[in-house]
Amino acid sequence: MRATAHDEVRHIVMKTIRRVATVVAALGGVLAGSLTPLAQADTAGEGPPLTQPVSAMRAAVSCDPSVTPSSGKQAVLLVHGIGGRPEGYWDWNYQRALPDEGYGVCTVALPERGLIDPVISVEYVVYAARYAYERSGRKIALIGHSEGGSLVTWAAKFWPDVAAHAEDVVTLAGVMQGTGLGNTLCATNWCTKAAWRASPDSHFMRALQEAPMPANTPVTSIYTTFLDEVVYPQPRASTLPGAANMALQKVCPARIADHVTILGDSVGYALTLDALKHPGPAVPSRLDNKLSLCLNPFMPRAVPPSPTEVAKIAAALVDGLLIGGDKVGVEPPLPDYAAPYGS
């Protein structure tokens, strides 16, 4: 039984690697073309106390030099998914494009590449959000991909000061109602804490859905209904009750994008900018350049990673999910602050 489950997961991941590597190689010839801390983040505030070492959380955050009160720029915090690191994850897409739109960029490196219990990883996100807010001197925006989407939403729901200091929360292929991959990984009742949490029927996912939405912080969930072999089935997997949920294919019906290429997708980026530039969540009908978006699959300044870089990221994911990680026989209890919503 265990071999069958592992074989299925490995097949899914390796198939995704091959497809993304092919897309990257094909587009490589077409597409053209962190830093000294200024202040210690204020870890005081509303919500549950943070339990992770302050030194480790601070070391995980990086903001570009423009994130200062005097620049007048809004800071955008980018949160990667399982198996990744900020470098190689955001530096070929949003980290390149957002400054051209007048935004400062901060990133956070999740502990152990996010392959541990997300209730630990989210504390790094909370700390990073507070740091970005303090360093910029104004409200920020949060963008998360895959598990990073779950984390930015969880942070805004359970830490009121994070929500109060964020104008937008945007998720890309976020795990909002769990993924069938979690069920596959845990078919033998022996899997990582991160996999247990990602299962559709987990207490973690129930709490993510049932906890109240932040009152004045809009949440936009953007996903692809075609080829996402990591977060599925879509659209259910990325649909969050109370959020503005939208597929890339709502704008471009024939758009082909998977779990990785959504990171550089032109429609996903246009919807993200629409959320950042207007009050409230993204509204697809506001996009006025749909023909151009549908003809050009990649966002401005996107330079996709090489097939080798993609393989390294995917290999780390495979290693963490199938071989390494803190495997347990049951989903761990939720923290006290979330338990009432996950029972």
Side-chain angles (χ1 to χ4, degrees):
M1 180 69 174
R2 181 175 299 182
T4 300
H6 286 186
D7 288 347
E8 181 177 347
V9 176
R10 190 179 296 276
H11 172 74
I12 289 171
V13 175
M14 295 312 296
K15 184 176 179 182
T16 300
I17 295 171
R18 288 193 296 269
R19 185 175 62 248
V20 174
T22 300
V23 172
V24 169
L27 291 173
V30 177
L31 297 169
S34 300
L35 306 165
T36 302
L38 296 181
Q40 173 67 37
D42 179 9
T43 56
E46 299 181 62
L50 303 185
T51 64
Q52 300 305 298
V54 172
S55 59
M57 292 188 292
R58 172 62 196 93
V61 189
S62 178
C63 294
D64 70 47
S66 72
V67 181
T68 64
S70 61
S71 74
K73 293 183 176 182
Q74 182 182 32
V76 180
L77 176 63
L78 304 175
V79 183
H80 64 80
I82 284 181
R85 299 183 188 278
E87 57 275 13
Y89 208 99
W90 296 112
D91 55 6
W92 62 273
N93 46 63
Y94 283 71
Q95 207 166 356
R96 291 173 56 88
L98 285 173
D100 286 353
E101 296 290 338
Y103 296 96
V105 176
C106 296
T107 61
V108 57
L110 299 179
E112 299 183 38
R113 305 192 310 276
L115 291 162
I116 61 173
D117 194 332
V119 301
I120 295 176
S121 295
V122 75
E123 294 194 14
Y124 283 70
V125 175
V126 172
Y127 184 96
R130 289 171 172 169
Y131 180 83
Y133 170 72
E134 180 187 83
R135 176 161 167 159
S136 65
R138 56 174 296 171
K139 286 190 174 184
I140 66 171
L142 307 173
I143 299 177
H145 172 255
S146 194
E147 186 194 61
S150 307
L151 297 179
V152 294
T153 306
W154 186 279
K157 283 194 169 196
F158 288 106
W159 277 267
D161 66 307
V162 171
H165 296 157
E167 287 190 342
D168 284 283
V169 173
V170 179
T171 73
L172 302 170
V175 190
M176 300 289 103
Q177 294 198 47
T179 169
L181 181 59
N183 285 344
T184 300
L185 289 166
C186 297
T188 62
N189 291 323
W190 186 251
C191 59
T192 65
K193 294 175 183 178
W196 280 115
R197 300 297 199 197
S199 300
D201 296 325
S202 71
H203 298 294
F204 180 87
M205 284 298 153
R206 192 172 303 133
L208 181 63
Q209 297 164 50
E210 295 297 329
M213 293 288 287
N216 299 307
T217 307
V219 179
T220 301
S221 178
I222 303 168
Y223 51 88
T224 175
T225 56
F226 190 68
L227 290 181
D228 195 328
E229 295 179 342
V230 177
V231 178
Y232 63 85
Q234 294 288 11
R236 181 183 184 277
S238 290
T239 296
L240 179 69
N245 304 290
M246 57 200 68
L248 304 178
Q249 290 76 15
K250 182 176 179 65
V251 177
C252 299
R255 174 54 51 90
I256 298 175
D258 62 22
H259 193 70
V260 176
T261 57
I262 194 174
L263 283 168
D265 187 84
S266 61
V267 176
Y269 182 64
L271 290 171
T272 299
L273 283 183
D274 185 78
L276 268 54
K277 292 178 179 292
H278 297 89
V283 178
S285 62
R286 276 199 298 247
L287 303 184
D288 57 5
N289 55 341
K290 293 181 181 178
L291 178 59
S292 175
L293 291 174
C294 294
L295 291 176
N296 179 17
F298 277 94
M299 60 191 281
R301 299 203 66 200
V303 179
S306 69
T308 300
E309 292 169 328
V310 171
K312 286 181 180 178
I313 295 172
L317 174 62
V318 173
D319 176 71
L321 292 178
L322 296 182
I323 302 171
D326 48 350
K327 290 187 172 66
V328 292
V330 66
E331 181 188 0
L334 288 175
D336 290 344
Y337 69 83
Y341 300 102
S343 58

